[in-house]
Amino acid sequence: MLKLQQRVQGVITAIDAHGRGILPYGKERIFVPAALPDEQVEVTIVKMIKEGYIGAITRLTHPSQDRVEPPCPHAHSCGGCQLMHMAPAAQLRWKQQRIIAAAKKEKLSLRIHDVVPSPAAACRNKVIASFGKDRNGMITAGLYEESSHRIVAIDRCLLHPASCDAIIQTIRTLMKELRIEPFDVRKRQGFLRHVQLRWGVRSGEILVTLVASESRFPARKRFVQALLQAHPAIRSIVLNVNRRDTSIVLGSEEHILYGSGWICDELLGRQFHISSSSFYQINHDQCERLYQKAYDLLELKKSDRLLDAYCGIGTIGLCAASQVKEVIGVELNAQAIADARINAKRNKITNARFICEDASRFLLAAANQHQRYDAVLLDPPREGSTPMFLDACARLQPARIAYISCNPLTQLRDLKILAQYGYVCDELFLYDMFPMSTHTESVALLKKGGQRTTKVRRGSVARTQKDRGAHEKRYRHGK
Ligand code: SAH
């Protein structure tokens, strides 16, 4: 058993899912932020955690060839860029190797391609800043330190354009001038919790969402006037009220303070209407490449009925609408569906319909009604899809399925299930949407053709609403 402040020497053997180096110590493991494989290090134990210990590097005897000086001074404190100390090419290699290892573990034989690098480093079109006070009572803006209530003050983040940092700094100054208190999570006092900025990479339009603890905002007029004067690119300002005790940023109540409550951006030649709470891909240029790859893989035809499952504001389906007969989009978030319908109109697309429902439930009903879909494109959240969705999807028998994922590990799990239904996948294509982080985006094509294996018994997947809850819960826990 190790003690706090104890020093340990050794060689880092691997990197974990959070980007930390792993230093084995007997049967125990020490997780070392900013350490790379093969590096010889001396670490000081700074924390005990469930899986072992956290160690901070006190001496680096043999640095890795892949080590670089992080271009950001906050790299080690903010926790947003877990791989910034790693050369960009090595980051891509690591992301690929990690997914190859996961596929091997799932006993899936498929070719996992090299990761396509992000076209730009300052690639993010959304930023969320939190506000607090430092020891001297000065208002700070930045990110929460990992698993703490402390704000790491950041005046410049390299992942997005400098104009966004300038807006955050103006808000910080205005808070002081107008006596707007930052929200204190522990005391549950104060007004401003976060600011979310979204901007259209092509349009240049900016949407500012102030996330506050209550709707009463006495200084609103002066605040809005001053912010617009300093940053004319702002198209809309929204007050989002989040009264809950939660780490989820946005609440459900919104008041428009200026403009329409949304901005517009262009993606693959189509115009998209984006509200503050709808999902919109963060890395615009890489997103265009990823979508294009999915369409190429699907080889869409004019006679196709295409299902866009987990469709968000309808981007994937609407960009493909001219290539197919009909698009049906399904999504749980009502605001996103409202945006999707507006987006269809805005682009004069008449062959797309959008339905606000749980994707699994929607697909189950479609399968029970023997509906026809020639191609399915699914893009679920990080947890992946569900057994109910995958079972219903297989029963619908689309000729082609394109599966886009922001978490290839859950995607591989789902590919394995689809393989048991006779859907074959030979290749996985990886895209670096989030440089410097441990995340990777991926797309795979599945074609009907393989043998249905005996592993999946008919009726093994919940078909009724009653069974569903328990089954989905078991599945999420990997049982
Ligand atoms: N395809 C879109 C959005 C992908 S993100 C795009 O590329 O922009 C995943 C989406 O799944 C989010 O919009 C989220 O709201 C939605 N979602 C999450 N759970 C869902 C469920 N159970 N049923 C339908 N949609 C869901």
Side-chain angles (χ1 to χ4, degrees), residues 279 281 291 310-312 315-316 331-333 357-359 379-381:
F279 179 89
Q281 293 281 358
Y291 283 5
Y310 307 91
C311 69
T315 43
I316 299 184
E331 155 72 45
L332 198 56
N333 179 328
E357 206 185 334
D358 169 70
D379 181 12

Side-chain angles (χ1 to χ4, degrees), residues 302-319:
K302 265 289 186 201
S303 55
D304 280 345
R305 236 180 140 229
L306 170 69
L307 176 72
D308 177 4
Y310 307 91
C311 69
I313 60 170
T315 43
I316 299 184
L318 291 172
C319 291

